[in-house]
Amino acid sequence: MRIKPWLAVAAAVPLLAGTPALAAAPPKVPAGTTAGYVVFDRVAGKIVAHRLAHRAFRSASVIKILIAIDFLERTAKPSARDLAQLRIMLRSSDDDAASAFWDRGGKGAIVTRTARRLGLADTAPPPADKPGFWGYTSLSAYDVARTYRYLMDRAAPRVRDLIVGHLRQATPCGSDGFDQTFGIPGGVPRPWAVKQGWSGFGTVPPVKCSERPAGGALAAPAAPALTSTAPVALAAPAPASQAARSGSRSGVPDLGRPVLHTTGLVGKDDRLILVLLTAHPAGGGWRDSVKRTTTLARELYLSVSR
């Protein structure tokens, strides 16, 4: 379903100028948690919810969408092995597959190329001294939403259909054994297509993951309606360093804090693009972080639908 092309934004204009404000109360972010989000309504053609939209976060596995876009747009005929690796990278967030594509594509050059092509203002490769750490890429909720818009409105059908098709079939468990049904899968009704991200919780899953289907915790309402059409301007990022905007002086956003990200297409005909990026207190546990993220995703969805 193609609705509207991404509108070019002049450099001198705030990136989110003219977007609607929420009439309903926005989600309450728990103390100690940092959350940036954007919800874009593809039918209305505008953002219907936003918070810290340009704040940089450590990408974790969300970067795998850009890795897939870059590879497919540079490779006319992927091999059977390539297609198998794309499948597990996108459905089960497989890290080994991501690392293979990362190395083949020139590591950080992948991010530079896709950021330029898609017009991603807040996205940057990992620091030069950490070239192999694709999860240390910096990105914002706004840029992730823009990436989904690129997929749906501008990417070649073969690229869109392969990537989004796999995201529709995200597995309950990641290849590393972590449960990836937090956020949208746990708090928003189907249909949805999701790409999750997590980092900073160790290498051994603290909770056993089962291959149960993730169906969402809510009964599906009618197609979401805008809660308001009143314009509001959100200033573009200040010209300060990325570290100042991301809470990090290492060049890696929130390094030392665990992150959980839930992103995807939600609703009939993929009406909403919902992106929620979160950083949690240092030393925070998996269960509490998952609970906070899923609650935020649920409340964010409900705030823009009725």
Side-chain angles (χ1 to χ4, degrees), residues 14 108 126 179:
D179 188 323

Side-chain angles (χ1 to χ4, degrees), residues 74-87:
R74 292 186 303 106
T75 309
K77 294 183 178 180
S79 68
R81 177 177 174 78
D82 292 335
L83 293 174
Q85 286 191 306
L86 285 169
R87 176 190 176 104

Side-chain angles (χ1 to χ4, degrees), residues 147-166:
T147 298
Y148 277 105
R149 292 205 65 191
Y150 176 85
L151 275 175
M152 301 306 289
D153 300 333
R154 291 170 51 197
R158 72 175 187 90
V159 175
R160 179 189 68 243
D161 294 346
L162 188 147
I163 294 175
V164 176
H166 285 317

Side-chain angles (χ1 to χ4, degrees), residues 1 7 25 64 82 114 124-125 127 168 179 200 220 259 282 289:
M1 174 182 176
L7 299 178
K64 291 169 183 174
D82 292 335
T114 52
R168 294 194 200 286
D179 188 323
V259 298
S289 298

